[in-house]
Amino acid sequence: MRLICQMAYRLALALGVVLLVCMTAVVCLNIVSRYCFGYSFSWSEEAARYMMVWMTLIGAAMAIRKWSHFRLEFVEHKVSGRTRLVLRSIALFVALAIGLLLVWQGLVWLPLTNHQLATALQLPMSWFYAALPVAGTLIVLFSFEGLLDGLGHQTHRCSLEPPSCSPSSN
């Protein structure tokens, strides 16, 4: 499980970096084209928007593995280790449910959007809606990994104490 999660995380990170670079390049190209040549690419804003959607959903999944989503950290410091484990497990079960919902709804929407084309890019909208099941699968995988960690099945992740967690520990 650990190896699968590490590989999935690295793949998600690589995809996120590629999307960020491409989105930045597209936006910069359009800015230069608009202000230097008085011409704007019709597809650039749409492409940047869809890359941002993919990047955001993948980033949300990655944040679950790193335990870096918004949380009330001051509450974590005020409760006992057992209560902290229960709160963390509840959060991971909620994330797991959201991931399953994303997978389910993404798979529902893919066939419905396969014949629709994006306005400017003229690509099937299913390419963009595929971000839902992909991110949902990653969220389910990383949530399940976190739940196993909480149950003591794996000890490779950060401890429940936020200060002891370092980026190199994963």
Side-chain angles (χ1 to χ4, degrees):
M1 176 76 168
R2 177 182 178 188
L3 182 62
I4 292 170
C5 288
Q6 284 177 339
M7 288 175 33
Y9 186 84
R10 287 183 181 149
L11 183 63
L13 180 62
L15 182 58
V17 168
V18 167
L19 287 168
L20 178 63
V21 169
C22 289
M23 184 181 72
T24 303
V26 165
V27 170
C28 289
L29 177 68
N30 198 42
I31 290 170
V32 169
S33 175
R34 183 181 308 147
Y35 288 105
C36 293
F37 305 110
Y39 178 78
S40 182
F41 297 105
S42 61
W43 52 267
S44 63
E45 290 181 34
E46 189 175 69
R49 182 181 326 118
Y50 291 131
M51 284 187 265
M52 176 67 84
V53 168
W54 266 90
M55 198 169 46
T56 301
L57 288 169
I58 289 171
M62 292 171 63
I64 287 174
R65 186 158 199 257
K66 292 290 186 178
W67 195 243
S68 58
H69 275 287
F70 171 78
R71 64 186 195 275
L72 299 175
E73 207 168 307
F74 71 91
V75 172
E76 290 179 16
H77 293 296
K78 299 287 183 189
V79 297
S80 69
R82 182 110 173 113
T83 305
R84 192 168 29 253
L85 181 63
V86 168
L87 291 175
R88 182 176 189 257
S89 296
I90 290 170
L92 287 169
F93 273 117
V94 170
L96 181 69
I98 290 170
L100 290 171
L101 181 67
L102 285 173
V103 170
W104 171 48
Q105 285 300 302
L107 293 176
V108 166
W109 279 95
L110 281 178
L112 298 174
T113 58
N114 198 34
H115 302 294
Q116 292 179 333
L117 296 178
T119 307
L121 294 172
Q122 293 297 300
L123 294 171
M125 288 298 293
S126 59
W127 289 18
F128 310 114
Y129 277 91
L132 294 173
V134 169
T137 301
L138 289 172
I139 289 170
V140 167
L141 183 66
F142 296 149
S143 298
F144 190 64
E145 178 191 29
L147 288 168
L148 287 178
D149 287 349
L151 296 173
H153 293 288
Q154 295 178 352
T155 58
H156 71 281
R157 299 244 328 208
C158 301
S159 71
L160 294 176
E161 297 295 328
S164 67
C165 182
S166 66
S168 63
S169 65
N170 289 354

